[in-house]
Amino acid sequence: MFWPRRSGWPGIRACLGLLLLLAGGARAQAPVETAPEWADATQRWLDSAVAATQASQASPLRMEISVGALDTRLRLAPCGRIEPYLPPGTRLWGKSRLGVRCMDGNARWSVFLPITIKAYGPAWVLKSHLATGAVVRAEDVVETEVDWAEELSPVMADPAQWAGQVASRPLAPGQALRQNMLKPIQVFQAGAQVRVLALGNGFSVASDGQALTPGVIGQPARVRMDNGRIMSGVVLDTRTVRLEL
């Protein structure tokens, strides 16, 4: 498993130094003693949070964390203990923010530090332009490492996820294939004659039917059987719908 790189932690220490200088008072005069404790606690918190995010990923990613600076206009009261936290509704993914609040001081305050979480992993990247509706082929892409967290839409790292799908909008070279860029291809129209494959416990039966809805591979479709009964199944290929009995 890949663990987060700590190259971003000097930014945390620098932010703390700024925070303490802005705070004023006797405690703000000794950043060397306070900064390591605060930075280490924040580092442990972020390590744990990012590790939890990693555990939910299908494949390990190389994580990088960078921390921005506090607003220089801030004037904060002295604080003996500072606690980091993740504001509700935010994610440790892409551009985000980390909350820092005073837990031991004459005045309670809370500020936000801008943070950027990068998650590098394998992805399929376009080698050339792809027009809307064009089918993605193996020769159109190359595998390389990209920042999965650069956009919210999930990366399609498994070729089975994008093979045979079409571009939902014009795509440019260098773009990593993501779910919001592609859609399954429609293989038949409503009204088309299709082959219905009914699968049961130890048997299979093939018959003909008429599609009542357009057919998209891997998606459900409704079919009227020869006896007039309407069934729902999953589209397997250009003319086959599978029914599970």
Side-chain angles (χ1 to χ4, degrees), residues 185-196:
I185 187 171
Q186 182 176 310
V187 291
F188 57 76
Q189 300 282 347
Q193 292 298 310
V194 295
R195 177 174 176 265
V196 179

Side-chain angles (χ1 to χ4, degrees), residues 3 21 66 74 124 138 148 172 183:
W3 291 99
L21 287 174
S66 60
L74 287 177
W124 295 93
W148 287 30
K183 62 182 180 180

Side-chain angles (χ1 to χ4, degrees), residues 104-122:
D104 180 15
N106 294 329
R108 295 294 181 92
W109 47 258
S110 179
V111 295
F112 296 106
L113 289 172
I115 62 174
T116 302
I117 310 294
K118 295 185 177 182
Y120 290 100

